[in-house]
Amino acid sequence: MKNKFNTNSNTYIIIYSVVLVVIVAFCLAFVYTSLKERQEANVALDVKKQVLAALDIRDFADDAAAETVYQETVEKTDTLDAETKKIVYLCNVKGEKKYVLFVKGMGLWGPVWGYVALNADKTTVYGAYFNHEGETAGLGAEIKDSRAWQNLFKGKTAYADGKPMLSVKKANDIRPEEKAYTVDAITGATLTSDGVNLMLQSCLADYKDYLSAE
């Protein structure tokens, strides 16, 4: 009995390739759909951990513990602008009201972002957390990796007379009168530090009206 298909023909090769591509595409789509919900949940949980980190609440036993603490701490979220992700998290830490502001800008190699927590006075910094997409390890990446550097923001003045004041500068450039609201830049990461400084000045200005009206 003769073979009905000539496996060496162009028609056979084209049909075989099309069928194979369709099967692979279907499998990839199935895997993506199956994992999408889990991926979105992981991203949402990571955001919650970063918000808590700005409140100096870290080092959870597991993801469930982080979720529980977040639900107990964050009482409300106000989205000022969904497109630019201007979001305020209204929190309660040990009976004290805190405002966590989302900030985003550009570092040396890509986006940088973070969360700045303010005390109930809406003026002084309670805590801060920063992250990045691709800053240099040991240098610009210290905005995320160095908890000691993030702790330098505690107690700094974020606003004065409604004007954003919080900034980052090289230590030698900080005048005595600026110490109340300026944090030392990361050594060897001038451009990343400049990016964080611009991010703070720009984004904090966007929250000025909200804080004065809230």
Side-chain angles (χ1 to χ4, degrees), residues 101 118 122-123 157-160 162-165 204 207-208 211:
L101 315 178
L118 303 181
K122 308 173 190 174
T123 299
T157 299
Y159 295 92
K163 179 183 178 182
M165 302 298 292
L204 291 182
Y207 293 107
K208 180 180 62 175
L211 293 172

Side-chain angles (χ1 to χ4, degrees), residues 6 53 90 112 165 183:
N6 180 4
L90 286 79
V112 294
M165 302 298 292
V183 171

Side-chain angles (χ1 to χ4, degrees), residues 42-134:
N42 288 338
V43 170
L45 180 61
D46 187 54
V47 168
K48 293 175 181 178
K49 288 181 177 179
Q50 292 183 47
V51 171
L52 293 174
L55 296 166
D56 204 20
I57 303 174
R58 315 185 189 215
D59 305 323
F60 305 100
D62 52 35
D63 290 345
E67 182 67 44
T68 298
V69 173
Y70 181 87
Q71 296 301 328
E72 294 173 346
T73 304
V74 180
E75 298 180 334
K76 180 183 177 184
T77 59
D78 282 339
T79 302
L80 281 62
D81 189 324
E83 184 176 349
T84 58
K85 295 185 179 180
K86 292 294 183 295
I87 305 173
V88 181
Y89 300 81
L90 286 79
C91 308
N92 187 307
V93 179
K94 298 179 181 178
E96 297 181 357
K97 193 170 187 177
K98 309 294 179 186
Y99 299 84
V100 179
L101 315 178
F102 175 72
V103 294
K104 186 174 182 178
M106 288 296 296
L108 174 59
W109 301 113
V112 294
W113 64 92
Y115 298 85
V116 178
L118 303 181
N119 285 306
D121 61 8
K122 308 173 190 174
T123 299
T124 56
V125 178
Y126 178 74
Y129 174 83
F130 300 100
N131 209 325
H132 65 91
E133 189 170 287

